Amino acid sequence: LSYGLTSCWDAARKRPDVALVFNVANGFWLPLLRARQVPTVVNVDGIEWRRAKWNRLAKTVFRLGARASAKWATRLVCDSSAIADFWAAELGRGGEVIAYGADSPETDLPVEPGLAHRAYALVVARFVPENSIPEFFEAAPAIARQHDVVIVGSGAGELDAQAAALADANPRIRWLGHIADDRRLFSLWQHAGAYFHGHSVGGTNPALVQAMACGAPTVARDTVFTREVLADAGRFTSPEPTAIAQAVTALLSDPDAQDQLSARAVRRAHEAYSWARINSQYDQLLRQALDS
C-alpha cells in the first residue's frame, strides 16, 4: 500500500499522459491521479480477497480497493473473460479482457539430468493452499510408484517441510525449490510427461500460459479459468488427491495424448497469448484512455 501511494503520488506530480496501474490495492490512490486529470488503466489482477493466503484484514483491504478501482479507474483490464464477468456481476463494472503473454523457448532444451523426456510428472507453483499443493503432495506417492515426480516451488513453512519429507522418503520424488533460471524451468516444462496446474483462484495464470508455450502436456484443476485458457489443449480433474493421481498417471501412460496436447498447447499459446498480441492490446487501450 505504501509503495502504491508513493508511486501514485509521484505520477500525479509528473502528470503522464496515462497511467497503467496494477492491482486493486492501488484503487485507494486513484483519486490522486484523477485530481491531476491523469487517465488510469487498472489491471485488476485476479480476485485477491478469495486467496487463502491472506488474513481477514488483508482480504477486506483488497475488497475495498476493488470497489475503489471500480469507482475511480478510467478503464479496467481483466485478464480473462471469467474475471470480467465476475467484476460485472459483483462490482457493477466489467473491463477490457487482456490476458498475459508467454516467451517462446528454445525448441530443444536439454533434459534435466536424471530425468527422461515425457517420463515425469511436474508441478510448478507457490506453496499456498489455493494452488492445490496439499492435494498434490498427497497424490505424489501414488504417482511415484511408476513415474518420477518433480516439484518446483516453495513458500516457507509447513508445505516446505512436507515437500522435503516427500523427497527424503521417496527416491522418485524430487523437490527443486524455487528456480530462478528460466531456461531450466522452461526445460522442465518442455520435457514433462504431465504438468499438473492446480491454481484455483484468478484468471489467466502466467505460469500456465508459459507451460503451454513450452509444450507441456497439462492436467489442470477444473475451474472456469483453466478451461478458458487451455480450451482443448489440456485435461481437467477435480482437486481430490486420488483424482489428481489418476489423471496424471493416465496422461503419463499415454504417449499419443502427450504429443497431441503438447502440439495443441504450443499452437494455442502462439495464437492467443503471444507477447506481440498482448502488447498490441495494451497499446490500443492506453491510447483509447487518452481520449476518455
Side-chain angles (χ1 to χ4, degrees):
L1 288 172
S2 61
Y3 182 83
L5 173 60
T6 55
S7 296
C8 288
W9 180 268
D10 183 65
R13 182 174 60 85
K14 294 178 179 177
R15 294 188 68 187
D17 296 320
V18 60
L20 177 59
V21 181
F22 286 86
N23 200 292
V24 297
N26 293 311
F28 300 109
W29 321 130
L30 296 179
L32 291 173
L33 295 167
R34 174 167 286 202
R36 295 285 285 169
Q37 298 182 324
V38 177
T40 53
V41 174
V42 178
N43 183 310
V44 302
D45 195 26
I47 311 173
E48 288 290 336
W49 56 95
R50 288 191 173 181
R51 298 187 188 276
K53 67 179 179 179
W54 299 121
N55 61 26
R56 182 177 297 179
L57 175 60
K59 290 178 179 179
T60 299
V61 169
F62 277 120
R63 183 179 286 277
L64 293 175
R67 292 176 181 172
S69 296
K71 180 177 181 180
W72 297 109
T74 306
R75 298 290 183 93
L76 294 177
V77 174
C78 301
D79 63 30
S80 75
S81 297
I83 292 292
D85 291 344
F86 174 87
W87 269 70
E90 297 293 326
L91 295 159
R93 186 177 178 188
E96 185 81 13
V97 177
I98 304 179
Y100 296 110
D103 295 306
S104 297
E106 300 171 42
T107 55
D108 293 308
L109 292 168
V111 183
E112 180 83 6
L115 298 175
H117 178 69
R118 295 286 183 259
Y120 60 92
L122 172 69
V123 65
V124 179
R126 287 177 298 171
F127 285 3
V128 291
E130 61 262 29
N131 290 347
S132 308
I133 293 298
E135 293 85 353
F136 184 84
F137 284 177
E138 286 190 48
I143 300 170
R145 291 180 193 137
Q146 302 177 50
H147 306 279
D148 291 329
V149 177
V150 178
I151 300 169
V152 176
S154 62
E158 181 181 345
L159 290 175
D160 280 42
Q162 289 183 26
L166 279 171
D168 289 341
N170 195 315
R172 302 200 74 164
I173 298 177
R174 299 185 183 194
W175 176 39
L176 303 182
H178 172 73
I179 294 180
D181 181 352
D182 282 348
R183 194 168 184 269
R184 185 185 183 195
L185 183 56
F186 291 175
S187 170
L188 287 167
W189 270 318
Q190 191 175 91
H191 296 287
Y195 164 59
F196 174 69
H197 184 82
H199 295 61
S200 62
V201 180
T204 300
N205 184 271
L208 178 56
V209 172
Q210 189 59 64
M212 292 165 62
C214 293
T218 299
V219 173
R221 178 168 173 169
D222 194 353
T223 70
V224 63
F225 309 115
T226 55
R227 284 191 175 273
E228 180 177 341
V229 174
L230 283 163
D232 67 347
R235 291 183 174 181
F236 303 93
T237 183
S238 62
E240 289 76 26
T242 300
I244 293 171
Q246 290 175 345
V248 169
T249 301
L251 184 53
L252 283 165
S253 304
D254 191 341
D256 289 340
Q258 290 175 336
D259 291 343
Q260 290 172 6
L261 292 177
S262 176
R264 290 175 187 171
V266 171
R267 182 169 60 251
R268 179 156 175 76
H270 176 74
E271 293 175 352
Y273 301 108
S274 70
W275 277 120
R277 175 187 175 90
I278 302 306
N279 290 339
S280 176
Q281 290 176 313
Y282 268 106
D283 179 77
Q284 182 178 4
L285 186 59
L286 289 165
R287 293 178 187 277
Q288 291 173 354
L290 293 174
D291 300 325
S292 299

